[in-house]
Amino acid sequence: MDKHKYLEKYFNDLRNVINFDSDKIKNLIEVSEVLLKANRKGKKTRIFGNGGSAAIASHFSIDCNNKLKIKCLNFNEASILTCFSNDYGYENWVKKALEQFSEKGDLVILISSSGESKNMIFASKFTKIKKIKTVTLTGFNKKNTLSKSGYIDIWINSKVYNFVENSHQIILLSIIDSISNLKIK
């Protein structure tokens, strides 16, 4: 396949993945409402991801704080990540961060392309016990472990990492833009 055909197919496939139906849009509206409700109650949003999903989490967090004046934190600082991973194991670092820095009424957003990242699954189990609302963004298999544990799950029907991650970025930034442009607070 030549370069032109490859890229043409790539973008057609990506377009099909991000062609969100009415149900997915309802989920995005619900996430916006939960985010705003937590903020109105003086609560915070915590967002986590691994690798590329961590970068997406950072982008969302910055835009929440800067554009929307919504308190949103991610824990991508190397010192906390390596400290908690060293002391509690990588699979437990997100849970430990939530134990120390979250409370009932907060909102937690967990991003995992596969939905099988142990640190996200353990964090979700913790939020369920503590009754902290959790939004999960996943992909790959529809019945992945993480997608079954969230209050709201937004699943991307793709097994291609970049398609899933790009879709998660579009979803989260569309939430920022919809709140910002509709002047909802």
Side-chain angles (χ1 to χ4, degrees):
M1 181 179 297
D2 71 15
K3 293 175 192 172
H4 183 81
K5 292 270 188 220
Y6 172 80
L7 288 173
E8 192 173 78
K9 179 179 178 345
Y10 182 93
F11 287 111
N12 281 331
D13 291 348
L14 179 59
R15 190 176 2 265
N16 289 332
V17 169
I18 62 172
N19 186 13
F20 300 149
D21 62 16
S22 180
D23 288 337
K24 193 155 308 219
I25 290 172
K26 286 177 188 172
N27 281 345
L28 299 181
I29 292 167
E30 190 173 4
V31 172
S32 299
E33 291 168 351
V34 170
L35 177 69
L36 289 167
K37 184 177 179 182
N39 185 62
R40 279 193 292 273
K41 290 182 173 187
K43 301 299 181 179
K44 296 165 283 313
T45 297
R46 307 282 190 250
I47 184 166
F48 298 88
N50 295 308
S53 297
I56 293 166
S58 290
H59 191 163
F60 178 78
S61 178
I62 289 166
D63 281 1
C64 273
N65 286 292
N66 186 38
K67 285 187 173 182
L68 303 179
K69 309 302 182 225
I70 289 176
K71 295 176 195 164
C72 181
L73 297 173
N74 68 77
F75 291 87
N76 292 338
E77 171 63 34
S79 58
I80 194 168
L81 198 152
T82 56
C83 173
F84 282 21
S85 293
N86 183 62
D87 291 354
Y88 308 112
Y90 189 77
E91 67 279 1
N92 292 308
W93 86 264
V94 176
K95 175 183 172 245
K96 287 297 183 179
L98 289 170
E99 283 176 2
Q100 290 192 23
F101 301 109
S102 66
E103 59 187 34
K104 190 173 181 181
D106 285 350
L107 174 63
V108 172
I109 301 172
L110 302 172
I111 309 168
S112 171
S113 293
S114 68
E116 298 300 339
S117 302
K118 295 287 183 216
N119 58 353
M120 300 300 155
I121 293 167
F122 292 167
S124 182
K125 288 178 181 177
F126 170 79
T127 59
K128 191 169 255 180
I129 291 166
K130 294 296 183 179
K131 297 185 169 92
I132 298 171
K133 279 201 175 154
T134 304
V135 173
T136 59
L137 286 89
T138 65
F140 291 29
N141 297 315
K142 187 164 181 72
K143 294 182 180 182
N144 65 69
T145 305
L146 188 61
S147 71
K148 294 184 264 181
S149 66
Y151 170 72
I152 302 168
D153 176 62
I154 301 174
W155 174 73
I156 301 302
N157 186 11
S158 178
K159 289 180 173 44
V160 178
Y161 268 103
N162 283 337
F163 287 2
V164 174
E165 288 179 343
N166 281 323
S167 298
H168 288 164
Q169 175 117 357
I170 289 167
I171 285 165
L172 289 168
L173 297 183
S174 74
I175 290 168
I176 298 287
D177 289 343
S178 68
I179 293 171
S180 179
N181 288 320
L182 296 173
K183 308 290 188 242
I184 304 168
K185 297 290 177 198

